[in-house]
Amino acid sequence: MDKILRIDMGAPGGPKTTVDPLGKYEGMGGRGMTSMVVSEEVPADCHPLGPENKFVIAPGMVTGSAASTSGRISVGCKSPLTGGIKEANAGGQAGQVMARLGYAAIILEGTPADDQFYKILINAQGVQISSAAEYKNLRTYELAEKIKAEYSDKVAMIAIGPAGEMRMAAASVAVTDREFRPTRHAGRGGVGAVMGSKGVKVIVIDDAGTKMRKPKDAERFKAANKRFAEGLKRHAVTGEGLPAYGTNVLTNVVNEAGAYPTYNFKQGQYDDASQLSGETFAELETQRGGNPTHGCHRGCAIRCSGIYVDKDGNYISKQPEYETVWSHGGNCGICDPDVVARLDYLDDTIGLDTIEMGATIGVAMEAGILPFGDADGAIRLLEEEVGKGTPLGRILGAGAAATAKAFGLERAPVVKGQAMPAYDPRAVKGIGVTYATSTMGADHTAGYAVATNLLKVGGDVDPLSAEGQIELSRNLQIATAALDATGFCLFIAFAILDQQDTFDAMVEIINGMFDINLTGDDVVALGQKILSMERDFNRRAGFTAADDRLPRYFRREALAPHNVVFDVSDEQLDTLYNW
Amino acid sequence: MDKILRIDMGAPGGPKTTVDPLGKYEGMGGRGMTSMVVSEEVPADCHPLGPENKFVIAPGMVTGSAASTSGRISVGCKSPLTGGIKEANAGGQAGQVMARLGYAAIILEGTPADDQFYKILINAQGVQISSAAEYKNLRTYELAEKIKAEYSDKVAMIAIGPAGEMRMAAASVAVTDREFRPTRHAGRGGVGAVMGSKGVKVIVIDDAGTKMRKPKDAERFKAANKRFAEGLKRHAVTGEGLPAYGTNVLTNVVNEAGAYPTYNFKQGQYDDASQLSGETFAELETQRGGNPTHGCHRGCAIRCSGIYVDKDGNYISKQPEYETVWSHGGNCGICDPDVVARLDYLDDTIGLDTIEMGATIGVAMEAGILPFGDADGAIRLLEEEVGKGTPLGRILGAGAAATAKAFGLERAPVVKGQAMPAYDPRAVKGIGVTYATSTMGADHTAGYAVATNLLKVGGDVDPLSAEGQIELSRNLQIATAALDATGFCLFIAFAILDQQDTFDAMVEIINGMFDINLTGDDVVALGQKILSMERDFNRRAGFTAADDRLPRYFRREALAPHNVVFDVSDEQLDTLYNW
């Protein structure tokens, strides 16, 4: 990875490609790369859908090598949902394929004058840009079929669905998995709308003729990688829970903890949660001939993904993630796994963030658009309204905050305009701190305090107490920012938080890859550097301490069954970035 | 005016009324009162539609006295449109009637638990609150008929239409005029949505049995008032232009200056502007049996309002203001006065801000919802969509910024979420500075630099140059904040800026009213105090220098015919509040 591909989509006469050396971006990867490019090159006060924003794609530092479980790809830009900096990352095959072609970043700049959409083909021979008129309005699953037919299923695809074409603030960027299905999404913050504003429908990446990235110190790398993979197998979460049930292993855990946001964050337990549990999904998948244990990209040692089929064995969707099952399930009072899987499929194929859309439908239910529990209605909202860009679909596609604004409601569970994921911040206060203070808006992956609050990974901090949550969230946000730069999947965190040897092995993989000698302190410094860049961008974009807050109703309305409010003080929140 | 009426709409068991002495609010009126109450009592980070916001109504300091042209009433709250502090004021009869009953402020607090709407009757006997269920969804003209039938046309009405009931961010608060028509609106910033969130459909104020407010020094007051009224008559704008043509005297002036925003701020001149001029409207009104010269409240010496009728002499609307004629007219490529008057009526009766709605329809036209120039389509959008709260109506009712967000457009002419009025900031740079820096969002009335840039009132500052605009806007914003506290109509500014004697007479009216000895410096200090309170509220609500900016496309896209961009630097903008 020694070069950066820039494509000026607004160049006179059509898109113009340049390939640059890394320069000041040397050594950066994943979120480190995307956030540095956005921070350095995008005017913080620009419009997210205007020509001054940039759309950056970057594989992680070790992505494309033999490093276990390291296939993540980051997408970055100024977010049309939050108005701040955004990094969203995904699994799937694209990261590895792109890295093997040597591109540390693809940067889409400008906006086309002609409102046309383009296809970008990147392979060992170079870059070709052509009209994507034939793909207009195609959903991502249909698009994948066409691309596969044209290029085989050995390539990787990065694409938007109709939601991205319509520049909806909840639009995602789809990345194909090992079966060339568009199931892995850089979901959050409307990155798909920014790709759409650049006039790019699909990027096809073909690494034919290239080889796996070689570590500079092969022995050191190989030995560390072995220790690392063993560590992942050894830990209960990465070695057992996630392979068996996927992320949805959490439904029962979070519900039992009284932290499962139900009916648009009205209560913390859902009576029918067991019908949506990972155990239930895995059993159905096994019974029906799906697959509960599946890797989203080659070389994953955890294999938390899966394939969900209907009672006749026909594919419905990939195994929905916990946050999706929650957002479309308990949050909307829907307890049918087949419906939830169908909604997951619709989000993926229309090109939408599942968290934002489930939260948005919850708000729409509170607004009286349809009753809680209306499964057919929820499907119709995605299929007929959002998917077709009707006026109601435009409201919903703009996300939970915009929907609450359109219907004049206070109760929008958002921070910095982005919907909260599947953990009520009143009953898991560490994640509440992350929601409030993350540079990304409400985002569980930015500092997953649920691990320590509920799963007792990396220590034990009482989820219902305000004590210790700031330090917990701070440390996790720093570690996560660094991890998001490496290309390793965030889920390795369970193992490296609990097992020092596995953490050391991860650092050693990087050291072997680049023949350097990073320490744990260097990892912390990298995380702090990334967060500081992001926070500085947001400050320049106009964010203040007032943006590092949960909506006030989380301090006012007590959540059953614990009858707790969010009570980490503003003064405490304002210390998060003290380092 | 020696008391404040507070009504807790969220009290257990139903609304609860208390009457307090003025206390720390002694001496405040109009915008001074509303902004001080909001600043002191509303948590800056609360949700505008939640129970912690307050809705404040306050007549000006001398309103209800014999002071000429002093009938203004201010409405204040945290704005659902901008997220900052808001004061919107209106003419009509309510200010005088309320002041004569002795209320310096009415403060609506809390939100009803039962989602019901209430009617508040205020008279010399006290306050009665009853269900407004029978008025549900009534448009303001229909409501006025019912209220008139019940209470006579001697009372005053403050009310919301369906837009306010639906808590739309573009909803206004209607105030009845001398004919008991709901034509005068506290329009901007969604104050109607906040009144709606308080569950108040209508406030009926009956001053029967009360008398005009008496000045403490009657002789001083009377003499000053005479000099003041003479000054208004003497000045060309207040004595001739406004009475003859109303505010729409500006269409030709602004269009000739190349500062008339046309087709959603795409160009600075509109070919068909003459069809929309104040001269044209006045001629039609005279020919058809309307009235081009009419006062919106008793005791106005300017009489800039009017009555617009169709070719058969039937009432269509009040004479639309210049900003309305522009927003629904040239901004949308519509040049039929009858259509513009009809749109004005629809805004008034549905309860919508005419500036926000015209700008929003312009954005909708750019989004392709309907073509520029589609008069029938524009009527349909208000009548069938916004008025009935369809999904498209919900988008439009949320304003120009929300509409651009829903349709993924950059070109939303807004500052702090509020649509720009009828002067392109590239060609009238002083008003651009006011748009950018006002505590209110884009608002021409906050510091009407057009007066000096184009009309050469109060001096002469080249509208196309960046030079001198900061000082001009600063001085006007300070003067306006003070004026908005007095209850005098803003239009007296033309006379008092040019005629020192008229300014002195205005100050003397206040001195005679309260038997005090204010000087011009005290007026400046009052204006600065109000602005500082407002700015501090906005700072606490999360506003920064990044919010004191025009959208970047005003710096990028040159405006014909002068081919100018907005080029007052950010550094200059950031000096506006230096005093």
Side-chain angles (χ1 to χ4, degrees), chain A residues 330-491:
Chain A
N331 186 54
C332 294
I334 292 172
C335 61
D336 181 335
D338 287 2
V339 170
V340 167
R342 173 76 185 158
L343 293 165
D344 181 64
Y345 171 83
L346 286 170
D347 286 336
D348 282 355
T349 198
I350 297 167
L352 293 161
D353 176 21
T354 60
I355 295 173
E356 194 68 38
M357 289 320 298
T360 298
I361 293 175
V363 170
M365 286 172 164
E366 178 148 340
I369 305 303
L370 71 178
F372 282 101
D374 182 354
D376 291 343
I379 289 172
R380 192 188 69 242
L381 288 187
L382 288 180
E383 178 72 78
E384 302 296 329
E385 306 283 355
V386 185
K388 296 182 178 171
T390 65
L392 180 56
R394 288 283 188 172
I395 295 174
L396 303 173
T403 300
K405 178 153 193 175
F407 292 102
L409 295 184
E410 177 182 15
R411 299 187 79 268
V414 302
V415 180
K416 299 182 178 73
Q418 181 168 289
M420 290 181 193
Y423 315 88
D424 198 293
R426 290 164 287 195
V428 197
K429 293 183 181 174
I431 203 72
V433 171
T434 297
Y435 291 168
T437 59
S438 167
T439 51
M440 297 292 146
D443 180 346
H444 62 298
T445 68
Y448 192 65
V450 177
T452 312
N453 279 171
L454 298 188
L455 307 178
K456 310 309 175 193
V457 169
D460 181 357
V461 175
D462 179 1
L464 300 178
S465 164
E467 288 292 306
Q469 308 294 1
I470 295 288
E471 190 185 359
L472 173 64
S473 176
R474 178 193 297 128
N475 291 337
L476 288 168
Q477 288 194 56
I478 292 169
T480 303
L483 202 54
D484 286 342
T486 63
F488 287 113
C489 177
L490 182 58
F491 296 160

Side-chain angles (χ1 to χ4, degrees), chain A residues 112-367:
Chain A
D114 56 4
D115 268 344
Q116 293 302 301
F117 279 94
Y118 293 89
K119 171 173 70 176
I120 300 172
L121 171 66
I122 303 172
N123 58 24
Q125 284 72 51
V127 180
Q128 286 178 46
I129 304 176
S130 54
S131 168
E134 64 186 304
Y135 307 135
K136 184 131 183 69
N137 294 326
L138 278 192
R139 295 187 174 191
T140 66
Y141 271 85
E142 299 162 11
L143 178 63
E145 286 302 313
K146 295 214 180 253
I147 297 295
K148 187 165 67 176
E150 191 168 350
Y151 299 97
S152 95
D153 62 359
K154 304 293 180 230
V155 303
M157 174 181 104
I158 300 172
I160 55 172
E165 290 188 49
M166 291 187 276
R167 301 180 300 278
M168 289 175 168
S172 64
V173 169
V175 176
T176 45
D177 61 17
R178 289 167 59 200
E179 289 78 24
F180 210 76
R181 289 180 175 133
T183 61
R184 318 316 307 179
H185 285 246
R188 308 229 65 194
V191 291
V194 178
M195 187 165 161
S197 75
K198 301 302 180 197
V200 177
K201 173 71 178 174
V202 58
I203 303 174
V204 179
I205 313 181
D206 180 358
D207 66 353
T210 69
K211 290 188 176 157
M212 198 173 276
R213 286 175 66 203
K214 291 238 176 330
K216 286 198 172 168
D217 184 336
E219 286 311 306
R220 190 179 181 186
F221 178 93
K222 190 174 171 186
N225 200 23
K226 183 158 179 284
R227 267 203 296 152
F228 177 67
E230 285 167 0
L232 296 178
K233 291 268 182 246
R234 195 164 69 238
H235 192 275
V237 175
T238 50
E240 295 167 30
L242 286 172
Y245 306 116
T247 51
N248 197 18
V249 67
L250 286 164
T251 293
N252 284 338
V253 175
V254 179
N255 196 57
E256 278 161 23
Y260 189 86
T262 304
Y263 306 129
N264 189 30
F265 290 76
K266 276 276 171 64
Q267 58 194 56
Q269 281 184 334
Y270 178 48
D271 286 346
D272 297 320
S274 68
Q275 296 184 50
L276 294 175
S277 71
E279 293 82 347
T280 302
F281 272 78
E283 195 181 324
L284 285 172
E285 285 159 2
T286 303
Q287 276 176 7
R288 294 170 167 185
N291 181 1
T293 306
H294 167 274
C296 78
H297 64 81
R298 285 189 291 269
C300 174
I302 300 175
R303 300 191 299 153
C304 70
S305 70
I307 294 174
Y308 189 88
V309 297
D310 70 12
K311 59 184 167 39
D312 301 319
N314 298 313
Y315 181 86
I316 299 184
S317 194
K318 98 268 192 185
Q319 172 182 285
E321 304 297 339
Y322 164 63
E323 285 75 15
T324 308
V325 174
W326 158 78
S327 75
H328 283 303
N331 186 54
C332 294
I334 292 172
C335 61
D336 181 335
D338 287 2
V339 170
V340 167
R342 173 76 185 158
L343 293 165
D344 181 64
Y345 171 83
L346 286 170
D347 286 336
D348 282 355
T349 198
I350 297 167
L352 293 161
D353 176 21
T354 60
I355 295 173
E356 194 68 38
M357 289 320 298
T360 298
I361 293 175
V363 170
M365 286 172 164
E366 178 148 340

